[in-house]
Amino acid sequence: MSDSKAAKRDKNIAVFFGGCSTEYEVSLQSACSVIQNINPEKYSVILIGIDRNTGKWFWYQGSIEDIALDRWQTKENCRPVFPSLDRTVHGICYAEGTEIKTISLSGALPILHGKNGEDGTLQGLLELMGVPVIGCGLLSSALCMDKDLAHQIVRMGGIKAARSAVLEDSRQIEEKEDIWEKAREIGYPLFVKPVRSGSSFGITKVQSKEQLIPAIWEAFQHDSTVILEEMIEGFEVGCAVLGTSEPVIGEVDEIELSDGFFDFTEKYTLKTSSIHVPARITAEKAEEIKETALQIYRLLRCSGFARVDMFLTPEGEIYFNEVNTIPGFTSHSRYPNMLKEAGLSFAEVIERLLGQGG
């Protein structure tokens, strides 16, 4: 075996896609873009698809196109696998006849958006397996998924965040007077959100007292905790951060909305909105936003990569919104496009990511 082939063999990188999440379809599209930009001469890619209903893991060996079209789960292309908690294996196991075989992994790149993938659950399991996680680990993933905790930590770091109130039990809906009082203190319009959810699922912009309780019910369908959050005047800006010790920050982008808010439909269709990169702001303000994004990234113990979203008010104040620890990764997604504007191609971004995985 040649030295180059041996080196490639020693760089088994697992890419996880699918998952038990409302963002399953988004994961398929992101994973395809990532897989297509991995250098096959340098890495052996182990594709691990997770069934959206059962959570079963499969070693997928079919075409990339079938992942994008969600027809990847066929008997001939999928071999059931399971994690090995033997840290001398640091990988996955599968059955071949009566024998259990293993595949050791140099790293794992989860391309799983939302719950059961972006929230620290998989990252924790990978750490137990002894497999290096490419991207944010258990702690930062869990913190960033929790909108309330993330906001509290960022505020303690001296960065502004929207005023809010948290409902920790759906039975609190019965205490309508108390909820109405919380909303009155925050002020209308406001947003009602599940505390731990992604891609704007379950989020409602509430204009009046009459809309509040139905919006809270909707949010509770997506999580056991709900947050009422002040609407910040202005527009959303974002920063792509790549790396840990010496991170690269992409150019700031700007979301221009003609109506409503940047919900799931707008994020993936841009029917009534536009994304400008670089943002239409001064160089000085862009630099301030980048510095704030990096501060947030470090406050929340992020590593590897993440997208930090903020609001910029008409007065020029910066407010924290959220951190996406596994942002969209299609060729038209915000994260790679911000880094592209900073001089990194999609393939270069992926190469830098994988270089962190062992």
Side-chain angles (χ1 to χ4, degrees), residues 306-327:
R307 193 189 75 231
V308 182
D309 294 338
M310 295 152 283
F311 293 109
L312 183 62
T313 71
E315 295 75 31
E317 293 182 307
I318 299 168
Y319 277 75
F320 171 59
N321 181 20
E322 64 179 356
V323 172
N324 286 267
T325 54
I326 307 179

Side-chain angles (χ1 to χ4, degrees), residues 52-83:
R52 72 187 307 174
N53 298 311
T54 65
K56 291 181 179 178
W57 291 16
F58 296 96
W59 178 13
Y60 175 69
Q61 299 173 69
S63 73
I64 307 307
E65 180 185 29
D66 282 346
I67 296 177
L69 297 173
D70 194 16
R71 58 187 188 199
W72 62 275
Q73 285 197 58
T74 59
K75 189 175 181 180
E76 60 270 21
N77 289 327
C78 288
R79 181 192 291 268
V81 294
F82 53 93

Side-chain angles (χ1 to χ4, degrees), residues 235 237 251-255 276-282 286 289:
F235 55 88
V237 291
E251 290 302 320
V252 179
D253 79 353
E254 167 198 346
I255 298 172
H276 302 276
V277 55
R280 299 170 298 178
I281 56 179
T282 66
I289 289 169

Side-chain angles (χ1 to χ4, degrees), residues 327-345:
F329 252 107
T330 67
S331 58
H332 58 267
S333 294
R334 295 173 63 197
Y335 184 87
N337 282 335
M338 284 188 272
L339 287 166
K340 180 181 178 181
E341 197 66 28
L344 289 177
S345 69

Side-chain angles (χ1 to χ4, degrees), residues 290-310:
K290 290 178 185 180
E291 290 172 1
T292 305
L294 185 56
Q295 186 181 350
I296 293 167
Y297 187 83
R298 287 174 169 157
L299 279 169
L300 294 172
R301 300 294 187 265
C302 295
S303 59
F305 67 102
R307 193 189 75 231
V308 182
D309 294 338
M310 295 152 283

Side-chain angles (χ1 to χ4, degrees), residues 56-132:
K56 291 181 179 178
W57 291 16
F58 296 96
W59 178 13
Y60 175 69
Q61 299 173 69
S63 73
I64 307 307
E65 180 185 29
D66 282 346
I67 296 177
L69 297 173
D70 194 16
R71 58 187 188 199
W72 62 275
Q73 285 197 58
T74 59
K75 189 175 181 180
E76 60 270 21
N77 289 327
C78 288
R79 181 192 291 268
V81 294
F82 53 93
S84 172
L85 297 182
D86 180 346
R87 292 175 66 87
T88 64
V89 173
H90 52 84
I92 55 174
C93 305
Y94 64 93
E96 193 166 279
T98 58
E99 187 179 356
I100 298 297
K101 295 196 170 184
T102 63
I103 301 175
S104 292
L105 302 171
S106 298
L109 175 59
I111 305 295
L112 301 165
H113 306 301
K115 288 186 177 180
N116 304 308
E118 193 175 356
D119 56 2
T121 49
L122 178 61
Q123 289 78 4
L125 178 56
L126 289 167
E127 288 178 20
L128 285 175
M129 293 163 62
V131 177

